[in-house]
Amino acid sequence: MPKKIRKKHLLYLLFLISYSTFGQFSGTNLFESQYGQIPNDFSNFSSTYNRTLLNYTYNNFKAGLTLENYYTPYQDRNYTRLTQGSLQYTSKWINVRLGSYQETIGRGLLLRSFEIPGAILEDLSYRSRYYFQRDIFGFNTTLKLKNSTTKIIYGKPLNNVFPPNQDQSLRRTDEIFAVYSDYNFYNQTLGASVLNVKNTSGNQLLGMTTISGKLSSVFSYYFEGAKEIGDNNFSDFSSTSTYAYYGNLNLNFENLGISLEGKNYNNFIIGSGINEPPALIKEHTYKTLNRSTHVAQPLNESGYQVEAFYTLANASIITFNHAVAINNLVNKKFTFEEYFTEYSFSIKDKHDVKIFADYAIDPLKQEENRISLGAYFDWKSSKKSSLKTEFEFQTFERNGISTQNYVVIAGYSYQSKWIINLVSEISNDQFLTSNPLKSWLGCNLKYQVNNKNNIALFGGQRRGGPACNAGICYEVLDFKGIEARWNYRF
Amino acid sequence: MKLILVSLISLFATCLQAQKIADFRLQDSQNSMKSFLELKGEKLTVIDFWATWCKPCIKAIPELNIIYENYKEKGVAFISINCDGPRSIAKAIPMGNSLKINYPILLDINSDVKNQLNLSVFPTLIIINSEGKIVWVHEGYASNYKEEVIGELEKQLKAN
């Protein structure tokens, strides 16, 4: 058959299949362009980052691809790479995934993968930007019966310290195989899991058990305990053994909610860090507090967290949080303590106000007597627009030297369409500057074009430092310059 | 030229359909598994994606509660999907109860549904019609949130 005719038949076949299948494409695209510099840069330079996520769904099947691209004047930082690819079959009872997927066992003691939406990671060593996620590449199947769930997990978790332009063998050094199963009876769930991790250090076998449930209309609980079992020494809980446990109790009394959590982790970093035990530290949205979040150390950490919130009749909320984390590291004991309270309320049923106060002692950050105070105002200037202002102040002592941080934010928003704000920060932290004061001033503008498109612009200086988002803490770099971001959903 | 034309037509054919939601099953606040098909509304389903650490989400919930009370008898079902990860999931149910969420609260601790729908912002509110198609997506919270949601519900109820 002539080549030309064969091609024509294939094209018509493709055309017919398209119409008859009524499959659907969907996805997102994140594009960001920067012109500026980060610490250690001597001059400004421009860079562009793009991430396209494309899905095709047909009945119970779904295929996905993620393409990332980073371009700068420096060839060694650049890349264009398919960073994720997946095939998935989902039905009421079974879910099968091949390729890239995310999976967490229990509360993350053994395994946790994640994606921080919209976050682009960059560090001072590789200087390459990439999407902040930690997926697993392999095979996963979940069987969901009426009273039980069973998962079989195999694959190689991503080590996101290394950007996509590095050797892929560096990025996925751990090979895991895990089985998880649970059974639900009378509103209680009993679960168990076994995980084997293989890497250049050898094999490590860990077991985990969970129990959770509702004991009454006001009381529910969760407990998870894990231990290394490859050595067959199930009763060894000495300082050299590998074990972890986490538990929480929840109480609800009308408008009052109380959450109590406890943890004890010992030598519990698995592989290159494929797990993420619950930190039991409040993740704040206020800048000064978010930057000061204690990062859990699974090598050795014990502690607890209690949080209570009370909703008043007019929808005001009072929140109280207290957390303690004790680390025994390098033959020394470090005790982190934090007390936080917040009151959020409305004035005349339309203007919103939030005020907070926080006291903490953080020996790992060398911050003693850390006091943070702040207030946030959302003043409705009309039915569709509002003025937002925020003030934060923080002071602490480090090695006898007093340090202060200030944050002032002033903004305006019109419906969900336009948001503009000026962010100003000042600090005399000697870890950041040898000058008496360091300041940052930046302007953010966000425009929601429609349901599918939004554009965000930044100009000025943005302070970096630790940041915590969706339970994951990471380092953000200072940035000075201009930045444009476009998010598109299709 | 013909090749380009046919490829374009094929591509558009597959793009014509609005995104449909696939059935999912998640644990609810009573520790039992619930599916979307069990909870969906006769005419419309409203799903609110939120997290305990998300302040605008907490602001939006009392307004959604009011909308729920006004529309629950009109064939509109509401589902609250909490997307807290392991770090803060312990607070999800007490906070949901404290905020008086009277419709089902499901826990998406592994972000299965969130990732299925490619969501990246909290809060996100979606409206699904009786055919399972996502007809409206609203990201964030702003001063006329309640009016916007009600306006869209009325529009979709008329279209349905």
Side-chain angles (χ1 to χ4, degrees):
Chain A
M1 189 179 284
K3 196 174 166 184
K4 207 172 172 181
I5 297 172
R6 260 190 283 156
K7 197 195 271 186
K8 193 161 73 173
H9 286 166
L10 278 172
L11 287 171
Y12 285 138
L13 187 63
L14 175 67
F15 181 78
L16 281 170
I17 287 170
S18 304
Y19 264 111
S20 62
T21 61
F22 293 107
Q24 49 176 326
F25 278 104
S26 65
T28 59
N29 193 82
L30 166 62
F31 172 82
E32 185 175 275
S33 176
Q34 280 187 341
Y35 179 76
Q37 54 183 271
I38 65 170
N40 299 353
D41 282 337
F42 296 110
S43 62
N44 295 329
F45 70 95
S46 64
S47 70
T48 59
Y49 169 83
N50 194 81
R51 177 184 188 254
T52 304
L53 168 67
L54 187 63
N55 291 318
Y56 179 74
T57 308
Y58 170 60
N59 286 347
N60 293 5
F61 291 90
K62 183 177 176 180
L65 278 178
T66 302
L67 178 70
E68 286 184 72
N69 162 263
Y70 181 57
Y71 178 77
T72 70
Y74 308 99
Q75 189 56 37
D76 58 323
R77 302 177 191 178
N78 301 343
Y79 67 89
T80 298
R81 197 174 281 271
L82 275 174
T83 50
Q84 292 177 305
S86 64
L87 271 174
Q88 184 174 327
Y89 172 80
T90 305
S91 73
K92 191 176 176 186
W93 306 111
I94 194 165
N95 182 11
V96 180
R97 292 178 284 182
L98 284 173
S100 307
Y101 65 88
Q102 295 197 353
E103 186 62 70
T104 298
I105 299 177
R107 292 290 186 261
L109 282 191
L110 286 189
L111 178 70
R112 175 154 187 224
S113 48
F114 60 82
E115 177 183 307
I116 307 299
I120 303 170
L121 212 56
E122 179 178 10
D123 68 15
L124 284 172
S125 44
Y126 293 102
R127 296 304 310 276
S128 203
R129 305 188 83 216
Y130 51 104
Y131 204 67
F132 192 10
Q133 57 92 9
R134 186 166 78 201
D135 67 5
I136 303 169
F137 190 83
F139 166 83
N140 177 310
T141 185
T142 302
L143 182 66
K144 289 185 184 180
L145 300 176
K146 192 178 172 197
N147 289 320
S148 76
T149 299
T150 299
K151 297 183 187 188
I152 297 172
I153 302 160
Y154 168 77
K156 294 190 171 190
L158 179 70
N159 183 345
N160 57 24
V161 166
F162 303 100
N165 61 348
Q166 298 299 306
D167 197 320
Q168 292 308 296
S169 61
L170 266 181
R171 304 186 85 210
R172 297 184 190 272
T173 53
D174 300 306
E175 185 179 337
I176 63 167
F177 178 76
V179 178
Y180 169 84
S181 191
D182 66 37
Y183 185 76
N184 188 285
F185 54 99
Y186 301 116
N187 286 340
Q188 316 303 310
T189 305
L190 185 62
S193 180
V194 176
L195 167 78
N196 187 71
V197 182
K198 184 177 164 188
N199 50 36
T200 51
S201 304
N203 274 302
Q204 188 180 24
L205 186 66
L206 300 115
M208 187 188 82
T209 185
T210 69
I211 184 160
S212 62
K214 242 182 131 57
L215 293 178
S216 72
S217 61
V218 301
F219 181 68
S220 61
Y221 69 97
Y222 181 94
F223 175 80
E224 179 170 306
K227 195 179 180 312
E228 185 170 11
I229 57 176
D231 52 8
N232 290 325
N233 197 347
F234 301 110
S235 60
D236 179 13
F237 287 91
S238 64
S239 58
T240 54
S241 65
T242 298
Y243 64 86
Y245 56 83
Y246 161 81
N248 81 260
L249 302 173
N250 290 329
L251 301 149
N252 306 291
F253 303 103
E254 293 293 321
N255 294 9
L256 174 67
I258 300 174
S259 163
L260 295 159
E261 297 172 273
K263 64 186 173 188
N264 191 348
Y265 310 140
N266 197 61
N267 293 323
F268 221 75
I269 296 176
I270 300 175
S272 58
I274 65 171
N275 61 331
E276 196 87 31
L280 276 67
I281 302 291
K282 187 169 177 68
E283 184 176 297
H284 298 282
T285 51
Y286 301 108
K287 280 186 183 294
T288 50
L289 293 181
N290 187 282
R291 210 170 275 142
S292 303
T293 305
H294 169 85
V295 178
Q297 307 291 326
L299 207 55
N300 182 284
E301 183 155 310
S302 61
Y304 63 87
Q305 175 177 223
V306 55
E307 180 151 321
F309 22 83
Y310 187 79
T311 307
L312 297 157
N314 58 359
S316 307
I317 302 176
I318 301 171
T319 304
F320 172 76
N321 178 286
H322 169 51
V324 169
I326 301 168
N327 304 99
N328 284 301
L329 300 167
V330 202
N331 296 321
K332 205 173 163 196
K333 183 177 174 181
F334 302 87
T335 303
F336 167 86
E337 273 188 79
E338 183 177 20
Y339 300 84
F340 169 83
T341 186
E342 178 191 65
Y343 178 44
S344 66
F345 59 97
S346 297
I347 297 174
K348 293 184 183 174
D349 273 338
K350 57 177 185 176
H351 309 299
D352 297 320
V353 182
K354 284 198 287 269
I355 50 177
F356 76 87
D358 185 275
Y359 174 79
I361 300 168
D362 192 341
L364 283 177
K365 286 191 196 310
Q366 298 176 53
E367 293 173 4
E368 297 289 321
N369 297 320
R370 188 175 70 212
I371 297 170
S372 309
L373 302 165
Y376 166 87
F377 303 93
D378 184 342
W379 206 259
K380 304 289 183 292
S381 48
S382 73
K383 209 172 176 185
K384 295 183 181 180
S385 63
S386 64
L387 298 165
K388 298 174 202 283
T389 52
E390 187 170 338
F391 307 94
E392 295 179 38
F393 167 73
Q394 185 181 69
T395 181
F396 58 83
E397 286 164 24
R398 184 189 289 125
N399 301 325
I401 298 169
S402 179
T403 301
Q404 284 78 43
N405 292 307
Y406 301 84
V407 176
V408 177
I409 302 174
Y412 171 79
S413 71
Y414 178 74
Q415 292 185 313
S416 312
K417 277 279 193 188
W418 291 95
I419 300 172
I420 182 168
N421 64 39
L422 278 171
V423 180
S424 169
E425 298 202 49
I426 298 172
S427 176
N428 62 358
D429 190 339
Q430 294 193 348
F431 274 13
L432 300 176
T433 178
S434 49
N435 295 330
L437 279 180
K438 183 166 177 162
S439 64
W440 299 259
L441 178 65
C443 179
N444 293 287
L445 172 68
K446 185 177 170 187
Y447 176 52
Q448 188 78 35
V449 180
N450 51 34
N451 252 344
K452 297 186 179 183
N453 283 277
N454 70 66
I455 296 168
L457 301 172
F458 171 82
Q461 293 175 296
R462 183 168 56 217
R463 179 175 171 174
C468 292
N469 191 339
I472 305 293
C473 294
Y474 53 103
E475 196 72 21
V476 173
L477 300 175
D478 273 30
F479 174 72
K480 183 166 86 171
I482 52 176
E483 181 183 275
R485 182 183 273 217
W486 173 42
N487 266 302
Y488 173 55
R489 180 209 304 280
F490 56 91
Chain B
M1 184 60 196
K2 207 187 272 186
L3 168 65
I4 295 168
L5 190 62
V6 173
S7 304
L8 278 173
I9 291 170
S10 309
L11 183 63
F12 279 124
T14 55
C15 288
L16 282 175
Q17 303 291 318
Q19 190 181 0
K20 272 185 117 168
I21 192 161
D23 191 23
F24 56 83
R25 288 176 75 210
L26 295 173
Q27 185 185 320
D28 73 356
S29 56
Q30 308 301 312
N31 211 43
S32 47
M33 299 299 282
K34 284 285 188 304
S35 74
F36 169 73
L37 289 178
E38 284 176 85
L39 299 174
K40 76 184 191 85
E42 186 193 327
K43 292 180 185 172
L44 296 174
T45 311
V46 176
I47 305 184
D48 176 39
F49 292 85
W50 65 286
T52 60
W53 45 261
C54 160
K55 296 298 182 198
C57 302
I58 306 304
K59 280 298 304 174
I61 287 170
E63 296 187 20
L64 276 177
N65 290 346
I66 295 170
I67 301 172
Y68 165 70
E69 293 300 330
N70 291 335
Y71 282 88
K72 63 183 181 182
E73 305 297 335
K74 296 181 182 177
V76 182
F78 280 65
I79 303 173
S80 173
I81 295 189
N82 172 275
C83 299
D84 275 274
R87 184 190 192 103
S88 45
I89 190 68
K91 299 166 199 175
I93 295 169
M95 186 168 279
N97 290 337
S98 163
L99 291 170
K100 301 286 188 223
I101 298 176
N102 289 328
Y103 40 95
I105 302 173
L106 306 183
L107 306 178
D108 190 16
I109 189 173
N110 286 331
S111 300
D112 290 333
V113 180
K114 177 175 105 36
N115 289 343
Q116 184 206 122
L117 300 175
N118 299 325
L119 303 182
S120 58
V121 172
F122 290 120
T124 292
L125 185 119
I126 65 173
I127 298 178
I128 302 157
N129 68 9
S130 53
E131 293 168 17
K133 289 181 187 166
I134 298 171
V135 294
W136 196 59
V137 177
H138 184 280
E139 294 178 339
Y141 170 82
S143 45
N144 64 335
Y145 180 79
K146 191 168 77 179
E147 288 78 10
E148 275 193 69
V149 175
I150 289 173
E152 192 61 33
L153 277 175
E154 289 295 333
K155 179 181 156 191
Q156 293 302 332
L157 281 171
K158 278 185 190 144
N160 236 359

